[in-house]
Amino acid sequence: VTIRDVAERAGVAVSTVSAVINSTAPTSDATRHRVEQAIVELGFEPDGNARNLRRQRAYAVGLMVPDVTNPFFILVARGVEDVLRDHDTMLVLCSTDFEPEREAHYARLLRARRLDGVIHDSGLGVVSTALRELAEANRVVLVDERIPGLELPFVGSDNRRAARIGANHVLDQGHRKVAVVSGPKALWTAEQRLAGYREALVAHGVNPDQVPVVAGDYREESGRAAAAKLLGVPESDRPTAILAANDLMAVGVLQYCLTNGIGVPEQVSIIGFDDIPISSLVSPGLTTMRQPAHEMGRTAAEILLSYLAGEEPVRSSVTLEATLVVRGTVASPPT
Amino acid sequence: VTIRDVAERAGVAVSTVSAVINSTAPTSDATRHRVEQAIVELGFEPDGNARNLRRQRAYAVGLMVPDVTNPFFILVARGVEDVLRDHDTMLVLCSTDFEPEREAHYARLLRARRLDGVIHDSGLGVVSTALRELAEANRVVLVDERIPGLELPFVGSDNRRAARIGANHVLDQGHRKVAVVSGPKALWTAEQRLAGYREALVAHGVNPDQVPVVAGDYREESGRAAAAKLLGVPESDRPTAILAANDLMAVGVLQYCLTNGIGVPEQVSIIGFDDIPISSLVSPGLTTMRQPAHEMGRTAAEILLSYLAGEEPVRSSVTLEATLVVRGTVASPPT
DNA sequence: TTGTAAGCGTTATCAT
DNA sequence: ATGATAACGCTTACAA
């Protein structure tokens, strides 16, 4: 059932039907009524594909995230979805799984399908050509993860500052033998957080170059592995505090401690980053830096939509506040 | 840059270009080459919207889930995405949040946009008219959650049997004072799991009508609330084991115990359902019934795609095995 | 093997 | 205020 059927049934021209549907031109009450009548009688619904072709829009935006298995990204996704829903726009989900070829695959797909825009949370930290091409053809806004060399609207937090605050919190307890589990070196957030840790370290008089740094991949398992490396040594050589660059890895190190009889926080303190839901569920609860993931998603979507609406958004980049949330994994070092 | 530009540049007709792109007709090596040449030179990419209109397909399927905050659904989503990716099909995410009007909203949206199909995991358990209309216009396959009154292909597990197995496991430890935290009464899974529990109960000689059942909503918080109700009584009145209808709620009760000094599993045993990632991360690890969520997603997507390919699938409904995974939350009752 | 032309279902321009 | 009609960019008979 097409718009022509409706027109016929209502005894008007198709253009008139279109006009009432989109209220794009004045129509007499009489005809409008007849048209609306016909529409419900026939159960007519404008064909999305046709409409898209004509309007040259897809009414859909892509969300590219590295790893839906990390609740942080889910929170972001929720935020995005929440605003899209009010704009009759679909959300197409693309998990890159930290793999360049997947990112490239989705970049091509989204471009070919002429999506209105994409919200991109990089798991790579580097500009693939596919991504660059995407950014040329489509509106792209970055969330959480900045990509050096790509000047695009960005929504995220001041990772360096947040990391510094977190590290200060544990250093203030008196810890001096600390270690860090960092994120993938190529990622902006990882680099920023590390920088923040170092700042706090020097501020507390400890030489950052002396503190062991093992790089994880932001996944839980890598946290566990890092813990094994850091903690699987004679007790006197162990750090008394571990700064983990995200919660998933922090939970991994917590796991390691629990299964190896290492007391948290009695023997080692742990701090994470993100404040994902699990963090309040493990025990002891994970002390961490909370990122407003949901709000990040919302703002990113809002920025994108205002671009699409043709407006130049008031704020094209925004930095949200990360805050310390204290739970049970940080205490004074053992004496 | 359209297909006409390519045709012009290559000095052939548009139909020829189309033919080489879709290899839908034999072409001489010579022209094919020229066409391919022109395509890369111009950086041409067929317009998805136009193609969709012409082919009358959207090359996209919807995934409706109640709550992306529950990792179980994320696992399903991953499964779906994994197969869609190999078929150049987009995944549009729709979280209903257990709210009827959202489900209706998305049902309308997906239908209007002429999505190829939708994979539906109900959070309602009941057929809204929107959903019924969706099912009339689009191919839909149900996953995890059956909807009585809607005869549609289904992928899920034998929830009753799985619940029985789980309950048996705890009853075999000697528990007789048990309580259950069930799911939303309207949901098929909730009802099935409850039925399974009851079967196990009678098999162990305990009257199911004597066991307290408090209904949750499959979210963590409701598990905590249920625990408060069940456990916030004189110690002698407390159940020694709690059967939770899903992991999120089980974690909630575990939380409650931990924060209230109730030993798990020394004083109360807990078993969950699903085996989501958190379950192995809490401590003690949650004993639960594992559902192959990822595989569910995969199979649902495969079934859907084979429908779309025009084949009547070999199996239009499939039941996957749920298995007991024993971790630390179940032990013998205190004596 | 290649070209011509007729749609796919809308929207938008321009007359009327 | 309403009606013809030409796009939108592609695919697919059908002709040549």
Side-chain angles (χ1 to χ4, degrees):
Chain A
V1 40
T2 83
I3 199 177
R4 310 177 63 112
D5 302 321
V6 177
E8 197 165 325
R9 173 116 178 162
V12 300
V14 295
S15 54
T16 306
V17 178
S18 178
V20 343
I21 291 176
N22 308 292
S23 44
T24 184
T27 37
S28 78
D29 288 4
T31 48
R32 185 176 35 260
H33 243 89
R34 289 222 311 288
V35 169
E36 281 163 353
Q37 191 84 271
I39 288 181
V40 312
E41 287 175 0
L42 273 52
F44 168 75
E45 199 130 37
D47 180 298
N49 290 323
R51 180 174 274 188
N52 289 355
L53 173 58
R54 182 59 232 229
R55 303 224 256 228
Q56 298 289 63
R57 299 254 263 108
Y59 293 91
V61 332
L63 174 65
M64 280 180 70
V65 292
D67 181 15
V68 270
T69 259
N70 184 337
F72 174 79
F73 300 116
I74 298 299
L75 262 19
V76 173
R78 288 292 314 212
V80 172
E81 197 192 349
D82 283 350
V83 359
L84 293 188
R85 188 176 25 244
D86 297 331
H87 293 258
D88 249 39
T89 299
M90 305 189 306
L91 193 255
V92 348
L93 183 67
C94 309
S95 338
T96 67
D97 243 327
F98 297 101
E99 289 175 19
E101 73 249 31
R102 284 212 192 153
E103 173 168 307
H105 168 83
Y106 279 123
R108 271 193 300 274
L109 188 66
L110 298 178
R111 204 161 79 98
R113 301 297 247 282
R114 308 289 194 268
L115 279 247
D116 298 346
V118 0
I119 292 176
H120 187 273
D121 193 331
S122 176
L124 269 29
V126 11
V127 270
S128 57
T129 47
L131 180 58
R132 170 163 283 127
E133 289 173 352
L134 181 68
E136 279 161 12
N138 303 65
R139 214 85 233 202
V140 174
V141 3
L142 265 24
V143 64
D144 175 45
E145 197 71 71
R146 207 151 216 157
I147 304 183
L150 255 199
E151 276 319 312
L152 259 23
F154 168 78
V155 178
S157 41
D158 185 339
N159 285 263
R160 190 153 51 81
R161 177 163 181 275
R164 178 165 20 93
I165 293 173
N168 276 337
H169 173 69
V170 346
L171 289 162
D172 285 346
Q173 311 295 310
H175 292 275
R176 287 304 175 266
K177 290 171 61 182
V178 325
V180 355
V181 181
S182 70
K185 282 193 265 300
L187 293 188
W188 179 77
T189 52
E191 172 242 315
Q192 289 288 303
R193 292 173 196 177
L194 189 51
Y197 293 152
R198 296 175 65 103
E199 290 179 4
L201 255 9
V202 318
H204 280 78
V206 0
N207 181 349
D209 296 325
Q210 308 278 57
V211 335
V213 174
V214 3
D217 62 4
Y218 276 164
R219 280 179 279 210
E220 190 252 332
E221 181 50 37
S222 74
R224 203 184 307 232
K229 200 172 296 179
L230 259 12
L231 267 14
V233 296
E235 191 162 347
S236 53
D237 294 350
R238 294 212 286 241
T240 64
I242 292 187
L243 314 173
N246 80 349
D247 281 2
L248 233 35
M249 295 192 301
V251 168
V253 346
L254 180 58
Q255 275 305 107
Y256 179 87
C257 293
L258 260 32
T259 68
N260 288 81
I262 301 177
V264 176
E266 298 78 20
Q267 299 179 59
V268 6
S269 288
I270 304 174
I271 190 171
F273 202 109
D274 280 349
D275 193 26
I276 55 183
I278 325 183
S279 306
S280 62
L281 263 22
V282 291
S283 43
L286 185 65
T287 291
T288 189
M289 293 303 301
R290 163 163 222 287
Q291 287 203 90
H294 188 268
E295 197 185 346
M296 281 184 182
R298 286 196 63 91
T299 9
E302 277 159 6
I303 291 183
L304 187 54
L305 286 177
S306 58
Y307 270 124
L308 297 179
E311 317 152 16
E312 288 305 300
V314 218
R315 319 158 303 170
S316 86
S317 272
V318 3
T319 307
L320 268 20
E321 235 9 81
T323 55
L324 175 67
V325 8
V326 174
R327 284 195 273 250
T329 52
V330 173
S332 305
T335 48
Chain B
V1 40
T2 82
I3 199 176
R4 308 176 63 113
D5 303 320
V6 177
E8 196 166 326
R9 172 117 179 159
V12 300
V14 294
S15 55
T16 307
V17 178
S18 177
V20 342
I21 291 175
N22 307 293
S23 44
T24 184
T27 37
S28 79
D29 287 5
T31 48
R32 183 176 37 257
H33 243 89
R34 290 223 311 289
V35 170
E36 282 162 352
Q37 191 85 269
I39 288 182
V40 313
E41 286 174 0
L42 272 54
F44 167 74
E45 199 130 35
D47 180 296
N49 290 324
R51 181 176 274 188
N52 289 353
L53 174 57
R54 180 59 230 234
R55 305 223 256 228
Q56 299 287 64
R57 300 253 264 108
Y59 294 91
V61 332
L63 174 64
M64 280 180 71
V65 292
D67 179 17
V68 270
T69 258
N70 183 337
F72 174 78
F73 300 116
I74 297 300
L75 262 18
V76 174
R78 288 290 317 209
V80 172
E81 198 193 349
D82 282 350
V83 358
L84 292 189
R85 187 175 29 242
D86 296 334
H87 293 258
D88 249 37
T89 299
M90 304 188 307
L91 194 252
V92 349
L93 184 65
C94 310
S95 337
T96 67
D97 243 328
F98 296 101
E99 290 175 18
E101 73 249 32
R102 284 211 192 155
E103 173 168 306
H105 167 84
Y106 279 124
R108 270 192 302 275
L109 188 65
L110 297 179
R111 202 162 79 99
R113 301 296 249 282
R114 308 287 195 269
L115 281 247
D116 298 345
V118 0
I119 292 175
H120 186 273
D121 194 329
S122 177
L124 269 29
V126 11
V127 269
S128 58
T129 46
L131 180 58
R132 170 164 284 126
E133 290 173 352
L134 181 68
E136 278 160 11
N138 303 64
R139 213 87 232 201
V140 1
V141 1
L142 265 23
V143 65
D144 177 42
E145 198 70 71
R146 208 152 216 156
I147 303 182
L150 254 199
E151 277 317 315
L152 291 171
F154 168 79
V155 178
S157 43
D158 184 339
N159 284 265
R160 190 152 52 80
R161 178 161 181 275
R164 176 161 24 90
I165 292 173
N168 277 336
H169 174 69
V170 345
L171 290 162
D172 286 344
Q173 312 293 311
H175 292 275
R176 287 303 174 268
K177 289 170 62 181
V178 323
V180 354
V181 181
S182 70
K185 284 195 264 298
L187 293 188
W188 178 76
T189 51
E191 171 242 313
Q192 289 287 302
R193 290 172 197 178
L194 188 53
Y197 293 152
R198 296 176 65 103
E199 290 178 4
L201 255 8
V202 319
H204 280 78
V206 0
N207 181 348
D209 296 325
Q210 309 278 58
V211 336
V213 174
V214 3
D217 63 3
Y218 275 164
R219 281 179 278 209
E220 190 250 335
E221 181 51 37
S222 74
R224 203 183 309 229
K229 199 171 297 179
L230 259 11
L231 267 14
V233 298
E235 189 160 349
S236 54
D237 294 350
R238 293 213 287 241
T240 63
I242 293 188
L243 315 173
N246 80 348
D247 281 2
L248 233 35
M249 296 192 301
V251 168
V253 348
L254 180 57
Q255 276 305 106
Y256 178 87
C257 293
L258 259 31
T259 69
N260 288 80
I262 300 177
V264 177
E266 299 77 21
Q267 300 178 57
V268 8
S269 288
I270 305 174
I271 189 171
F273 203 109
D274 280 348
D275 193 26
I276 56 183
I278 324 182
S279 306
S280 61
L281 262 23
V282 292
S283 43
L286 184 64
T287 292
T288 190
M289 293 301 302
R290 160 163 224 288
Q291 287 203 89
H294 187 269
E295 197 185 345
M296 281 184 183
R298 286 196 62 91
T299 11
E302 277 159 5
I303 291 183
L304 186 54
L305 287 178
S306 59
Y307 270 123
L308 297 180
E311 317 152 15
E312 286 307 300
V314 219
R315 320 158 302 171
S316 89
S317 273
V318 2
T319 308
L320 268 21
E321 244 356 90
T323 54
L324 174 68
V325 5
V326 175
R327 284 195 272 252
T329 52
V330 173
S332 306
T335 46

